[in-house]
Every structure is written in C-alpha cells, then in structure tokens.
Amino acid sequence: MLVRGVRQVRKEGELRDLMTKLKRYLPQSISVHGTIDMLLHYGPSMPHTTILSADPPGSCSLVVVTPACSYKGIQSVTVFWSVEEERSEDMAKLLGMIPGLDWSRPVKLYACCIDVITEMDGLVIAGVKQVRRHTISNGHLYTLDKCQLKTPKLNGDFYISSLGPADMEIVRSFWRYSFTETREVHLKMITAFPSVAIRMKSSISLKAKETDVQNKWDNGSMNEKHKDIPEEERNDEETLVSWIHSYKNGLIGNTFTVKEQRRRGLAKVATQTLAHHFLQKGHIPVVAIDSSNTTSIAFHKSMGFKWSGAVEYAIRFPEGTSLKDLEFKLP
C-alpha cells in the first residue's frame, strides 16, 4: 500500500483501532498506545495532545504523539514504529511531514522505545541530519499481572483517598521530572487521572473512615478516582504522606513517601491500590524506572512487577545546536 504522508487521528473508533493495533507491540509501544488510551478516557484533560499516523490508515506502523510533554521550552514527540517491518528511510520522510515540528531545532524524544531511538540516530529528517543525541534517562518498563496482586492493607491512622488540587505543590516539589510539564497540565494529571493518596490524621476518629475504606475495597466499589473521603471533609490536621499518580502516556509513577513515614509499607499500598484500579479497567499497570534507581526496581520487583522492555528519554540535536540552546534546565 502506498504511504502518502501522515494524518491526525481524531475519531474514537479510529483511535481504538489504532490502540488495538499497537498492542501487538506490547510493551515497546506502551508510551504511544497508553497515551491513546488516556486520551479516550480523559480527553478533556488532554486538549493539546495530537495523535498522528501514516496515511492511508494501516499502511505502516508509524504513530506519533505530539507534543509529548507540555513544557514550552522545547519541542517534544513520542514516536513508535516497528523497526522489523519498516524502512528507517521511509520513516524519516514521514517524520519530516509532522505539522509544526521544526527538526532544525532540538527535539525531545519522550519515552521512546530503545529500538526506535537507535534507528533515528543519523537519520536525515526534513533535510536535517542529527549530529548527536543527549540521553536524559534510560527507563526500564515493568508490568504487573493480575494474579500477582495482593489486597493492600493499611494500619494505624492512615486512609486512602485521591490527590486533589491542594496537593499539587507538595507532589510537584518531589517530582524529579517536573520540568517536563507545566503546573497547569500537572494539576490536570493529578486531579483528572487516577491517583492514590495516603493521608494521616492525628484524630482517633479516623477508625470509622478506615473501616469504610476497607469495606469499599473488599466489595470492589472503589470509585474511578478513589475519592473515598471527599476533599471537603478533610481538615488541616490531615497530612498527605504517600502518593502515586498516572501520567498522560498511561504509565503510573511519581511514587513517594515523606521521610518521616517511610518503612511502614505506605508506598506499597498506594502502588498496589492504583495497580488494582488499572487491572479492574482491563489495563496492564506499567511503570518506567530510571536504570540508576535500583531501590525502585527492587521495590517493584518485590510486588511482582516483571521487566518488560526499555524506553529512553533523549534530545535530538541537529547541527549547530547544543544544550545551550534549550530553554529549560535539565535535572
């Protein structure tokens, strides 16, 4: 079939068909088909996300998400194609047709599978040859199967809820990669997408709430956003101590527990709870962990997460550009 160019995919049916096709390449295409899945479920919270595929539909495996992150200081894309099925030269031509993307400037390649990033090295796209690639991080993908999930338990004066607007600053302050998303988009991520927050309250009156939360878990009635305790019922004594949330590409992460409450299993409960939510919806929970974060790798392995592949976060530099040309500061 002759490939004419790239086209934006907007209709729900086409997006679902595209996601189904991409699942053939699990988990290599997770960053792309995960984005499509989130777009289908939370479209109003992702107004600037564009999905592009080869035209006519089904003519090749290329799919592009742009922008991949919301920070305005740099262009960003997530790209996938099957390196076994497509010629890299053909993909270079199609990538050069992406509307509004200037390959003569640095481009951030966000959570692209290693095989694709390697194929892009040296490609001439829109007449511009890559001079070098700056790797920000290598991420290992770990997935969890339903049969390995255990029912989470909480002890003491803790309860499960979801993240809300009031949690934005503390969550953002501990997120290593906060530079990739504006505050506005990050706020939408933690409030519109599935999240889990574990809170502590000094009052002994928490016991009834804890029991209610556990009952909801046991009978499977935990709602879409885990808002077991409405935000308006909380008061200043309640403290956010552990959390995890979803990203725009369908991964879960930014798991964190405040120093004073560590070694209580709170992060494990938060992760298992969000993973259970994803599994109930028919989605495989996936995390991307930096290769240098051996503690997080061991933590997820202890819960049954299995290594499934790798992605890379990198910046493609064309001739005449360097890190000095970036408008944001890398961590």
Side-chain angles (χ1 to χ4, degrees):
M1 184 181 293
L2 179 65
V3 181
R4 296 189 297 264
V6 294
R7 60 187 288 272
Q8 184 173 353
V9 183
R10 305 184 187 204
K11 295 181 180 179
E12 180 178 339
E14 290 181 330
L15 287 169
R16 292 191 183 280
D17 289 344
L18 187 56
M19 185 174 68
T20 299
K21 184 181 77 170
L22 282 168
K23 284 189 175 181
R24 289 171 48 199
Y25 307 103
L26 266 172
Q28 289 83 358
S29 66
I30 179 63
S31 299
V32 177
H33 78 248
T35 302
I36 297 174
D37 195 21
M38 296 297 279
L39 185 61
L40 287 167
H41 284 87
Y42 309 100
S45 299
M46 303 172 66
H48 305 301
T49 300
T50 299
I51 308 294
L52 301 166
S53 71
D55 186 31
S59 55
C60 82
S61 57
L62 175 70
V63 185
V64 179
V65 177
T66 184
C69 52
S70 59
Y71 202 95
K72 301 298 190 297
I74 189 171
Q75 305 174 104
S76 60
V77 294
T78 301
V79 178
F80 176 80
W81 72 80
S82 172
V83 296
E84 293 83 11
E85 298 177 11
E86 315 293 352
R87 295 196 325 151
S88 57
E89 294 81 4
D90 295 336
M91 298 302 99
K93 293 178 182 178
L94 293 176
L95 291 173
M97 299 178 186
I98 298 175
L101 197 61
D102 182 0
W103 291 96
S104 67
R105 295 170 47 216
V107 176
K108 183 176 182 184
L109 306 173
Y110 187 87
C112 298
C113 76
I114 298 296
D115 289 347
V116 167
I117 285 213
T118 301
E119 285 292 310
M120 291 185 72
D121 283 348
L123 284 185
V124 177
I125 303 176
V128 179
K129 183 176 180 179
Q130 171 180 310
V131 175
R132 66 186 180 90
R133 181 179 88 227
H134 174 81
T135 298
I136 300 174
S137 67
N138 292 306
H140 292 282
L141 296 177
Y142 285 83
T143 58
L144 183 67
D145 185 80
K146 187 174 184 178
C147 66
Q148 299 166 321
L149 188 64
K150 297 180 180 179
T151 303
K153 299 289 184 181
L154 273 179
N155 296 314
D157 293 339
F158 301 99
Y159 65 88
I160 298 173
S161 66
S162 64
L163 293 170
D167 303 315
M168 167 66 179
E169 291 306 321
I170 186 171
V171 170
R172 189 172 178 83
S173 67
F174 288 105
W175 186 24
R176 179 181 179 184
Y177 300 107
S178 61
F179 68 92
T180 63
E181 303 290 354
T182 63
R183 277 180 161 75
E184 178 187 6
V185 171
H186 194 197
L187 178 61
K188 289 181 178 179
M189 284 168 53
I190 69 172
T191 55
F193 300 167
S195 66
V196 172
I198 296 181
R199 304 180 190 275
M200 180 182 69
K201 189 175 182 180
S202 59
S203 172
I204 304 302
S205 64
L206 263 182
K207 193 62 182 177
K209 289 184 178 182
E210 290 174 356
T211 301
D212 180 57
V213 168
Q214 191 61 51
N215 288 339
K216 288 182 177 181
W217 172 270
D218 293 337
N219 64 29
S221 64
M222 290 188 72
N223 63 20
E224 176 78 7
K225 295 175 66 180
H226 303 289
K227 287 197 172 179
D228 301 288
I229 302 174
E231 191 169 358
E232 60 269 18
E233 292 183 17
R234 305 171 192 161
N235 59 40
D236 292 339
E237 293 180 337
E238 298 175 350
T239 304
L240 178 66
V241 294
S242 187
W243 60 85
I244 183 173
H245 63 76
S246 313
Y247 296 115
K248 294 186 300 183
N249 57 9
L251 276 67
I252 63 176
N254 193 17
T255 314
F256 193 85
T257 300
V258 297
K259 185 176 181 179
E260 296 77 11
Q261 300 299 333
R262 292 175 184 171
R263 301 187 182 279
R264 295 174 179 263
L266 300 181
K268 189 171 186 178
V269 171
T271 302
Q272 289 176 325
T273 302
L274 187 55
H276 184 270
H277 170 81
F278 268 64
L279 289 167
Q280 282 186 317
K281 297 294 183 181
H283 310 307
I284 298 175
V286 184
V287 294
I289 308 171
D290 192 287
S291 57
S292 64
N293 195 345
T294 55
T295 300
S296 181
I297 290 173
F299 167 73
H300 286 87
K301 282 184 175 180
S302 72
M303 288 184 286
F305 279 83
K306 304 295 184 181
W307 186 88
S308 297
V311 292
E312 184 170 308
Y313 300 77
I315 298 176
R316 175 190 169 96
F317 285 99
E319 186 175 6
T321 62
S322 67
L323 283 172
K324 295 185 297 182
D325 297 293
L326 301 181
E327 296 178 26
F328 70 96
K329 184 179 180 181
L330 293 173

